[in-house]
Amino acid sequence: MVWKKNAVSYLAWLLYTLAMGGILVGLSRVLWGQEQPLLYVGLTAGYILATGLLGFLANRFLGSIRLPGDGGRRLLVLEGLAVASLLLAGLVLRIWQLDPAMVGGRGYFQAAMVAEGSQIPQVVHGASYFYLHLLHLVFRFLGNKMVLGAWLQILLQLVGAILFYAAVRRLAGALPGLVVLAFLMCSDHWIQGILELSPEMFYLCLFSLGLVWVTAWMGRRIRMPLVFLAGAWTGLVGYLDVSGFLLGIFALFLPLAEEGEISGRGRKLAVGAVYLTGIILGFTGFLGADALCSGKGFWSVLTAWGTLYQPKGYVLPVAGGGPGVPPGILVLAGLMGLGIWSFWCGGREERMSVWILAAMGGAAASCFGLLVPRMPGFGLL
């Protein structure tokens, strides 16, 4: 899915370039370990120029390749093999790292374990509450073992990664989708995540499913009921965790796409209004269901939800100097550096702005203390 470049696109690219410059300078400082600002800037500038040259050569080379016969089908087969290989590699890496003695998150285990007279406690954070119910269901059928929670984390990660890959592929293409899938499968952060019982992986599935749903109604024919249901799902995941409202950035940006039936300001406004209506009704509906099930008043539940996510001051995260950088971070930063130049390889079209705007929204929420610890937040973006 592509968009015509406009003023917002160029502004998003500028912000992305500045942010990547800051990240690369920080990485240079950590890797070099000395206080030499000019050296950090020089290394960053050299890297950016090198990636620009590499991106230009790759674009020229890939653009000249012509597969014989049914090339499209062959590419799909190769992509399918790559997806299967990455999922298998991710599963093997997680099984290799799985150590029952190292599984943490005992608070979730004790809250979800099956015992006579036990009851799952009421939790304000919706994702944590539903995750406890899911964990409780697993323990009811298979027994109270923490290692079962780790296996549940593995299953949730695989499902969430597949859904997130599908959404990224729809929005940005097959290659970015494969890069995201490779990161989710091979990154040390996500692999180690199976050893900590938390709602992070459960919410990854819900957020990814929402992203698939939001992109699914964009096509040749726009069906307003699907737009409304996508809004209702956004309201649900936003109720479970405030980072779910980042889906709204994607949904409200998608009407700018060239493909599809959305043409004219009136039609775009209608799609946006139906989607926002779905969000409002979905969010208030689930708040009302929460109030009904918990026996509390609607305004009491709404106040508790608002208190959980109220701004906690402004803090600008700055990477500081601990020695060493995980290899996965270096690879990710290298790939993100290519994004500075890929913006100029698409002529009058681009695919970056929606991701940059969503990441900016998540970064702002993090700076104001709106995001709950141990949740994906804007790290996925």
Side-chain angles (χ1 to χ4, degrees):
M1 185 173 292
V2 295
W3 298 269
K4 286 185 177 180
K5 291 179 181 177
N6 52 32
V8 175
S9 303
Y10 290 101
L11 177 61
W13 173 83
L14 177 61
L15 294 174
Y16 180 85
T17 302
L18 293 174
M20 279 307 305
I23 292 173
L24 293 173
V25 167
L27 287 176
S28 300
R29 178 177 180 272
V30 173
L31 290 172
W32 196 260
Q34 299 181 26
E35 294 297 333
Q36 299 183 24
L38 292 179
L39 176 62
Y40 308 147
V41 175
L43 290 174
T44 300
Y47 172 79
I48 292 176
L49 292 176
T51 55
L53 178 60
L54 178 63
F56 173 76
L57 295 176
N59 186 57
R60 291 292 297 270
F61 174 73
L62 295 175
S64 64
I65 294 179
R66 296 291 182 271
L67 294 179
D70 192 355
R73 179 173 297 180
R74 294 187 181 187
L75 286 177
L76 285 177
V77 172
L78 291 176
E79 183 184 354
L81 290 175
V83 169
S85 300
L86 288 172
L87 290 174
L88 179 60
L91 179 60
V92 171
L93 288 172
R94 281 154 178 78
I95 295 176
W96 182 269
Q97 290 289 332
L98 184 57
D99 182 358
M102 298 296 293
V103 179
R106 183 163 293 275
Y108 286 101
F109 171 75
Q110 293 176 345
M113 66 184 301
V114 178
E116 184 177 356
S118 64
Q119 187 176 6
I120 295 178
Q122 293 286 338
V123 182
V124 176
H125 187 239
S128 298
Y129 182 68
F130 282 98
Y131 172 72
L132 288 175
H133 276 281
L134 179 60
L135 203 57
H136 180 79
L137 184 65
V138 172
F139 292 159
R140 179 171 292 277
F141 284 99
L142 300 177
N144 294 319
K145 300 177 182 178
M146 286 194 68
V147 69
L148 293 175
W151 280 106
L152 176 62
Q153 296 290 84
I154 293 177
L155 177 62
L156 292 173
Q157 272 197 4
L158 294 177
V159 173
I162 293 172
L163 292 171
F164 203 73
Y165 156 76
V168 173
R169 188 185 190 281
R170 177 78 172 91
L171 278 169
L175 183 58
L178 289 174
V179 170
V180 167
L181 182 61
F183 179 74
L184 291 176
M185 289 295 96
C186 302
S187 167
D188 184 66
H189 168 76
W190 291 100
I191 294 175
Q192 294 298 323
I194 68 169
L195 299 177
E196 183 72 24
L197 303 187
S198 79
E200 184 178 14
M201 306 310 163
F202 171 66
Y203 194 77
L204 169 67
C205 292
L206 299 181
F207 185 90
S208 301
L209 180 59
L211 195 56
V212 170
W213 200 334
V214 163
T215 58
W217 54 262
M218 295 299 301
R220 297 299 174 187
R221 300 179 63 184
I222 304 299
R223 295 178 176 86
M224 288 300 185
L226 293 180
V227 177
F228 176 82
L229 291 175
W233 185 263
T234 303
L236 167 63
V237 294
Y239 154 74
L240 296 178
D241 186 82
V242 72
S243 62
F245 287 120
L246 293 175
L247 291 174
I249 297 178
F250 290 92
L252 297 178
F253 192 89
L254 289 180
L256 300 177
E258 286 187 330
E259 62 176 306
E261 217 178 50
I262 304 181
S263 59
R265 180 175 299 179
R267 180 69 169 167
K268 293 177 181 179
L269 290 176
V271 171
V274 170
Y275 179 76
L276 289 175
T277 301
I279 291 179
I280 295 171
L281 294 180
F283 179 73
T284 55
F286 286 111
L287 275 180
D290 186 352
L292 183 64
C293 294
S294 63
K296 300 178 182 178
F298 177 84
W299 293 110
S300 175
V301 174
L302 180 60
T303 301
W305 186 91
T307 302
L308 179 64
Y309 298 112
Q310 67 182 359
K312 303 173 181 64
Y314 182 83
V315 177
L316 183 62
V318 178
V325 178
I329 297 298
L330 294 176
V331 174
L332 181 62
L335 293 172
M336 291 178 66
L338 291 173
I340 296 174
W341 300 101
S342 64
F343 177 83
W344 302 100
C345 295
R348 299 179 62 185
E349 299 175 341
E350 58 96 5
R351 293 178 170 181
M352 291 178 56
S353 296
V354 62
W355 298 100
I356 296 172
L357 294 175
M360 287 171 55
S366 177
C367 290
F368 284 101
L370 301 181
L371 300 182
V372 175
R374 296 298 304 170
M375 296 300 292
F378 68 98
L380 283 174
L381 304 174

